[in-house]
């Protein structure tokens, strides 16, 4: 573990990260006293939007000692702690293992700021997802993360569940962009509703996190027998800082760039008219070729014989 030096980081450089840390402390302060006890202090780093910092129990104990050097378990004034010791948190983050990933970027969350992206090596933070992190994740996860981001708006505590009404509205929402028919949405709602829905439909919760994990397979099954409407591709916002992604509902292909057949459809919205135009042009060229061949044959028939050698 690196030796922790007593210093302040200053507010300008780490402003976004600092606000996120403070917001997670506030979420553990149900009485709005400005303090948390030791259990709440530990929960901030292990069971909140900061858990991806991956601090160990020893790290957290070290941080607690900094705010209580005499060893007494007095409540922690988290505003003072963040102002004085945020730099120590950054030092511990740099020493934490990457756990199998090559990128130091992680997602942190707070109700006030939503998702931010934090670099555990440099301390940089941003609302925009870095390309390094986006490209490091398999494209199969992009659809899952996009759906999770949409549902999480109605699940601020990130339980992974929403009401049936919210689940239905998201499946049909133009802002999500899945373009499901009411029949298709009803099939998915039925599949993910709990068994006791009929007894208490008003309080039944749907596991949207499970649906997000399985969405690609569910779409492939839905559209195995018929064509999606208005087309194979849907255009979904990927969540905070991620931009839009294109998802093929029949093949589960996920792209960040606009698919070629979508570009063709935008350029030539009436494919049938385009094909008819090409066919007419080909027919006309074919008729001209036949006429030219017939004229050439006539010229050969009436041409004078060549002079003797």
């Amino acid at each position: 573990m690196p030796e922790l030096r007593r210093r302040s980081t200053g507010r300008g450089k780490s402003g976004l990260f600092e606000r996120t840390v403070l917001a997670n402390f506030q979420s553990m302060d149900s009485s709005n006293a400005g303090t948390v006890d030791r259990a709440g202090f530990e929960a901030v780093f292990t069971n909140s939007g900061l858990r991806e910092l991956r601090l160990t129990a020893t790290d957290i104990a070290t941080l607690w000692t900094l705010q209580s050097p005499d060893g007494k378990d007095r409540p922690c004034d988290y505003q003072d702690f963040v102002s004085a010791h945020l730099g120590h948190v950054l030092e511990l983050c740099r020493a934490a293992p990457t756990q199998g990933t090559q990128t130091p970027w992680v997602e942190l969350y707070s109700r006030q700021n939503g998702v931010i992206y934090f670099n555990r090596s440099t301390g940089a933070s941003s609302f925009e997802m870095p390309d390094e992190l986006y490209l490091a994740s398999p494209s199969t996860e992009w659809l899952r993360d996009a759906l999770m981001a949409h549902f999480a708006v109605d699940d601020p505590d990130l339980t992974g569940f929403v009401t049936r009404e919210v689940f239905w509205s998201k499946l049909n929402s133009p802002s999500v962009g899945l373009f499901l028919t009411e029949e298709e949405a009803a099939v998915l709602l039925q599949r993910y509703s709990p068994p006791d829905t009929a007894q208490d439909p008003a309080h039944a919760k749907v596991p949207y996190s499970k649906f997000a994990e399985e969405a690609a397979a569910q779409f492939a099954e839905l559209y195995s027998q018929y064509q999606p409407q208005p087309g194979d591709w849907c255009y979904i916002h990927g969540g905070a800082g991620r931009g839009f992604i294109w998802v093929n509902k029949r093949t589960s292909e996920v792209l960040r760039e606009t698919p070629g057949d979508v570009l063709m459809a935008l350029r030539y919205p009436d494919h049938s008219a385009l094909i008819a135009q090409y066919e007419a042009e080909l027919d006309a060229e074919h008729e001209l070729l036949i006429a030219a061949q017939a004229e050439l044959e006539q010229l050969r028939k009436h041409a004078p014989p060549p002079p003797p050698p």
Side-chain angles (χ1 to χ4, degrees), residues 107 117 126-131 133-134 137 145 240-242 256:
E107 291 184 9
Y117 301 94
S126 172
F127 283 118
E128 297 296 320
M129 175 178 266
D131 284 342
L133 181 58
Y134 210 129
S137 62
D145 292 346
R242 299 184 183 221
R256 292 183 72 185

Side-chain angles (χ1 to χ4, degrees), residues 102-269:
Q102 297 302 313
T103 175
W105 289 95
V106 295
E107 291 184 9
L108 305 180
Y109 174 81
S110 70
R111 290 188 182 185
Q112 288 86 339
N113 294 326
V115 173
I116 72 165
Y117 301 94
F118 174 72
N119 189 308
R120 293 187 297 115
S121 295
T122 66
S125 55
S126 172
F127 283 118
E128 297 296 320
M129 175 178 266
D131 284 342
E132 177 185 352
L133 181 58
Y134 210 129
L135 298 176
S137 62
S139 61
T140 52
E141 295 180 1
W142 298 351
L143 173 60
R144 179 204 64 191
D145 292 346
L147 293 173
M148 288 290 288
H150 283 290
F151 281 109
V153 173
D154 293 279
D155 179 28
D157 293 326
L158 300 181
T159 64
F161 291 82
V162 291
T163 63
R164 282 168 49 85
E165 181 180 358
V166 168
F167 189 77
W168 173 266
S169 67
K170 293 294 183 184
L171 294 181
N172 289 280
S173 171
S175 64
V176 177
L178 292 176
F179 297 111
L180 301 177
T181 66
E182 288 196 3
E183 292 79 7
E184 292 162 355
V187 169
L188 293 173
L189 180 62
Q190 178 64 32
R191 288 179 181 176
Y192 287 92
S193 293
D196 59 350
T197 298
Q199 298 177 4
D200 191 9
H203 297 89
K205 293 297 184 74
V206 179
Y208 70 82
S209 56
K210 187 175 189 306
F211 165 69
E213 288 282 356
E214 302 171 353
Q218 292 290 343
F219 293 151
E221 181 180 342
L222 275 175
Y223 301 116
S224 61
Q225 302 298 325
Y226 61 94
Q227 177 85 13
Q229 294 298 328
D232 289 2
W233 292 95
C234 57
Y235 190 48
I236 304 176
H237 193 274
R242 299 184 183 221
F244 286 87
I245 59 173
W246 289 91
V247 180
N248 189 306
K249 291 192 285 187
R250 289 207 291 182
T251 67
S252 303
E253 184 179 6
V254 181
L255 300 174
R256 292 183 72 185
E257 302 80 15
T258 306
D261 49 348
V262 172
L263 290 174
M264 179 65 73
L266 292 173
R267 186 173 299 174
Y268 303 109

Side-chain angles (χ1 to χ4, degrees), residues 17 50-56 59 86-108 117-126 130 132-133:
F17 177 59
L50 303 180
R51 57 184 172 270
E52 284 302 312
L53 294 178
R54 302 168 192 162
L55 299 184
T56 66
D59 294 337
L86 190 64
H88 302 147
V89 176
L90 293 172
E91 288 181 11
L92 292 171
C93 288
R94 294 187 187 103
T98 57
Q99 293 188 352
T101 177
Q102 297 302 313
T103 175
W105 289 95
V106 295
E107 291 184 9
L108 305 180
Y117 301 94
F118 174 72
N119 189 308
R120 293 187 297 115
S121 295
T122 66
S125 55
S126 172
E132 177 185 352
L133 181 58

